[in-house]
Structures are given as structure tokens and as C-alpha cells.
Amino acid sequence: MFSYSSGNKRIGIAIGDFIIDLKKAEKKGIFGAIDLKDTLSQIVLNPFIGLGKKVTNRVREIIQSELCTHGILYDNKDELLVDRQSSRMHLPVKIGDYTDFYSSKEHATNVGKLFRDNNNPLLPNWKHMPIAYHGRASSIVVSGTNIKRPIGQILPIGSDSPILATTNALDFELELAFIIGKETEQGEQIYIDSTEEYIFGMVLFNDWSARDIQSWEYKPLGPFLGKNFASSISPWVVTLEALNPFSTKSISDEKELLPYLECDGDYHLDINLKVYMQPDNQKESLITTTNYKTLYWNYAQQLAHHTINGCNINVGDIMASGTISGSRKDSLGSLLEITEGGAKSISLSCGLERKYIEDGDSIIMRGYSFKDDIRVGFGEVRSKIISNS
């Protein structure tokens, strides 16, 4: 979703430095006799997504064809194309529910070594099912939204009693998330071979974490104030069909899975991911380079597990991958891992050092896929941390 010249929110498709205004394109007759039921006039994508993939894929195909010919789009480019730099981006969907998975073996192992048993970092259930929890949807914000430093209960080192304070261990988590494109009824299950029918597309996702708040509160029920203050997503939704050329084989399972999680198809995606940190008035510093395909549990297994008990899903629901970490030191998806729980500092290109995120720091995540001269970009998700005072 985007807006320009102080106008209303609009649905668009990003093409290089421009955005195609789809409502104006519809008025010019680009989509022919397709009945889009006024969905292109809405302020979120949910009604458009709800038309189903037969329609949404056809819209995408028509735009692709128009970009390759001197047709309606070319003849009306001055009216239909909007400069991206002069546009304001908005949250693309109305999010009803949000689920956060824990699907990177490397990340789970690193965290397990920090807080549990160095020799047995993974809990017994981890290789048998995609672990997840339900998060807070109301605090998911679009790229460009500043994040206030959160407050919560923190247990000072050496103390038996907590204090209420702002976090001193603010962290990012590099993730991708998929957006549900088709609803189900309560009691209905989605199986591996039909999961793609229910996924509209994917976005970059930064699941902020206050580690000192989280470490005090997470037992026995898991994250709460340490996570629910904000998550940031990119404004552009990349459809699953656009990502099909980058499909790849799943990681070999080390445990025999229950039949509903067995997965022989190419349900992993080759998506390059990078994270940058930028203190105020300084240049960006690259701190992480990794790939979505390193995840142990893929999106099909995540959705199949999510619904095996009959949990219903709705258009616009968002399901995040969990922190994506690779096996190299420069491929870790959180500062918790990079700094070993704040024990070590990282050096930025501007000469500053960081253990966690400070006020005025921006975190920028970017992603893209590239194969055989086909490139699909996710844009970026960028947010600055500001003081709570």
C-alpha cells in the first residue's frame, strides 16, 4: 500500500524506481473483463487477496505482459507510474493473527548453548515439529516507523528482586513471514501438498526483542513484554508465485517425522538476506549475511503443523519464520548470537562499537532472490530506535 501527494492509500506494484497505480490502471482497461469487485479501492490488500489466486495471479500476469509490450501501460505511463521516492508506504494488510515460529536449527542451537546445555542445546521436541508461539498483531508496523525503547521488569545481576526499567539489551531478529491468502473453517486441516494454495506471499520481518526483559519473564509461558512492543515488516508483499523460480529442496531431516510433516517437494526458497546497522549521522554497517533456505522447517511444514489441530486461519494472518541464522559467524540473525549474549562487542565501519541497539540506531534488513537473470527484490524494512523519555 502507498500514498502520494497527501492522497488516500492505494494498491500498487513496485517496478524499479516506480509504482504502478493499480486502480488507475484498472480504469484504463488494463485488466479487461476481470471483475475485481472494487478491491483496488480498498486501503488494505485483504479484499484483493480474498479474490483468490486465479484472479490475483491473472492480474500479475497482465502487468508482466504490459511491461514487455507497448500497450496501455506504456501509452499511459506518465499517469500510471508514481515515483517511489516521493511516495509514503503503509501496512499492506490488516493482520488478524500473528504466529512466530522457531525454525532455524542454527539459531535454536546457539540460543540453547547460551541459556541451557552446551552439549544438548536443542530441546527433545525441536526436531519433531515446528515450534511456535502466538504473538501480538496490533503492534506490527510498517518499515519506516520509529520504535520506542520498551519498558518492562528486569532482574539486575546479583539481585533477587526485579526493577521496572527501559531495556538495555534491545535486539533485532531477522525473519521472513508469509501472509495467508485463503481462509479455512475451524476444524479444517491443511496438508503439505496444498499449503501453497493458502499462502499469498512473503514479507521481510524484524521481530524486535528486549533480551533483559525476555530473560526474566519467559519461564514458564514464553515471551510477553520482551516481544510484544513491536515487529516491523516491509511494505511490499512478494507473491509465492513470483518466488517459484527460486524454490529448492528441503533440508534432509535428521529425525523420522510424523507423516503429516513429511516433505518431499521444493518448499525451501533461495532468498538472500542482509542486515545493516546505522547509528545517527553515520554510514550503514553490514553485520549479517544469510539465506532463508538454511531454515530447518519450511513454510509448508509450518502451515501444516499450525492447522493439524483444526486451527482456522484468515486472509491477512501473518506467520513469521523465526530468526534466520546460518552456520558462519557473519550469518547470525540476532545480536544475541553475534555478541554471545552481550559478552562481546561488534565494531561498525564508522568506528563505533555495539553489544545491543542504542537510541538513534537504525536496523535495515534487505532481501532478494536471483537466478538465471531473474531478480526479485523484497525492498527493505528499516526502523530507528528512539528514546522512551
Side-chain angles (χ1 to χ4, degrees):
M1 304 301 300
F2 74 103
S3 61
Y4 59 96
S5 301
S6 301
N8 296 327
K9 297 177 184 178
R10 310 182 72 85
I11 297 176
I13 293 179
I15 302 294
D17 294 329
F18 298 93
I19 302 171
I20 301 173
D21 187 323
L22 291 188
K23 183 59 181 178
K24 286 186 176 181
E26 181 187 28
K27 289 181 177 180
K28 291 294 182 181
I30 282 181
F31 304 123
I34 299 176
D35 185 7
L36 296 175
K37 303 183 185 299
D38 200 37
T39 57
L40 298 183
S41 299
Q42 305 304 310
I43 61 172
V44 288
L45 284 172
N46 300 53
F48 174 71
I49 294 172
L51 293 175
K53 289 203 171 188
K54 184 177 180 180
V55 175
T56 59
N57 285 342
R58 183 59 186 146
V59 168
R60 175 174 168 268
E61 291 165 359
I62 289 172
I63 292 296
Q64 286 180 322
S65 176
E66 284 283 332
L67 291 171
C68 298
T69 61
H70 284 194
I72 296 174
L73 180 58
Y74 181 84
D75 293 339
N76 298 274
K77 58 181 179 293
D78 291 341
E79 183 178 353
L80 302 184
L81 296 183
V82 180
D83 179 35
R84 286 179 67 173
Q85 295 299 318
S86 62
S87 300
R88 180 184 177 188
M89 306 312 300
H90 303 277
L91 202 67
V93 293
K94 182 179 180 181
I95 304 166
D97 285 297
Y98 155 51
T99 300
D100 190 27
F101 284 91
Y102 194 50
S103 296
S104 167
K105 179 183 175 183
E106 288 78 8
H107 173 68
T109 298
N110 293 335
V111 172
K113 287 180 178 179
L114 281 173
F115 297 111
R116 287 190 295 273
D117 185 348
N118 190 63
N119 295 317
N120 295 288
L122 296 179
L123 292 173
N125 62 357
W126 197 90
K127 290 184 180 179
H128 290 277
M129 61 180 174
I131 303 300
Y133 76 97
H134 291 292
R136 178 85 175 163
S138 65
S139 54
I140 298 177
V141 296
V142 74
S143 173
T145 306
N146 291 338
I147 307 299
K148 284 189 176 182
R149 182 171 295 273
I151 294 173
Q153 285 196 23
I154 297 170
L155 184 67
I157 296 175
S159 175
D160 294 328
S161 300
I163 59 173
L164 184 66
T166 55
T167 178
N168 288 313
L170 188 57
D171 199 358
F172 66 85
E173 289 189 350
L174 170 61
E175 306 189 24
L176 275 168
F178 61 83
I179 293 173
I180 294 299
K182 182 180 178 180
E183 67 180 26
T184 62
E185 297 290 334
Q186 191 169 4
E188 186 178 348
Q189 299 165 327
I190 301 174
Y191 296 101
I192 292 284
D193 59 0
S194 61
T195 50
E196 293 184 346
E197 180 184 347
Y198 292 86
I199 298 174
F200 176 70
M202 306 192 79
V203 293
L204 294 171
F205 195 89
N206 182 354
D207 192 23
W208 302 97
S209 296
R211 301 300 184 186
D212 43 6
I213 298 173
Q214 184 179 2
S215 65
W216 169 239
E217 73 180 3
Y218 83 100
K219 294 180 181 179
L221 292 181
F224 190 35
L225 300 189
K227 301 283 285 186
N228 72 356
F229 59 95
S231 296
S232 302
I233 70 172
S234 56
W236 298 108
V237 184
V238 180
T239 65
L240 205 57
E241 288 69 30
L243 293 169
N244 279 341
F246 314 105
S247 297
T248 184
K249 286 289 184 184
S250 299
I251 297 173
S252 298
D253 295 310
E254 299 177 26
K255 291 279 187 181
E256 184 177 346
L257 299 176
L258 293 175
Y260 79 97
L261 288 174
E262 291 178 350
C263 189
D264 296 326
D266 295 347
Y267 293 108
H268 270 66
L269 295 167
D270 186 356
I271 303 172
N272 300 291
L273 300 167
K274 295 185 178 183
V275 181
Y276 302 79
M277 180 180 284
Q278 184 179 24
D280 258 345
N281 302 314
Q282 302 293 335
K283 293 182 178 179
E284 299 175 359
S285 294
L286 177 64
I287 56 176
T288 293
T289 300
T290 189
N291 195 293
Y292 180 73
K293 68 182 179 182
T294 63
L295 289 180
Y296 188 91
W297 297 104
N298 62 52
Y299 63 83
Q301 292 168 315
Q302 291 166 359
L303 185 54
H305 183 64
H306 196 296
T307 62
I308 193 63
N309 67 342
C311 175
N312 55 310
I313 57 173
N314 294 296
V315 172
D317 288 353
I318 193 165
M319 300 189 185
S321 62
T323 305
I324 304 168
S325 293
S327 57
R328 307 183 318 273
K329 288 185 177 180
D330 64 350
S331 66
L332 303 177
S334 67
L335 288 172
L336 177 70
E337 299 165 86
I338 296 171
T339 68
E340 297 180 10
K344 298 180 179 180
S345 298
I346 59 171
S347 297
L348 305 179
S349 59
C350 60
L352 297 175
E353 294 190 344
R354 290 288 187 270
K355 292 182 177 179
Y356 286 106
I357 304 168
E358 298 186 7
D359 290 349
D361 290 348
S362 293
I363 296 296
I364 307 106
M365 298 177 176
R366 299 188 176 107
Y368 69 93
S369 294
F370 184 82
K371 180 181 179 182
D372 299 332
D373 296 327
I374 301 174
R375 190 183 193 280
V376 174
F378 282 77
E380 67 177 23
V381 53
R382 173 192 295 262
S383 303
K384 177 186 283 190
I385 300 301
I386 59 175
S387 171
N388 207 300
S389 60

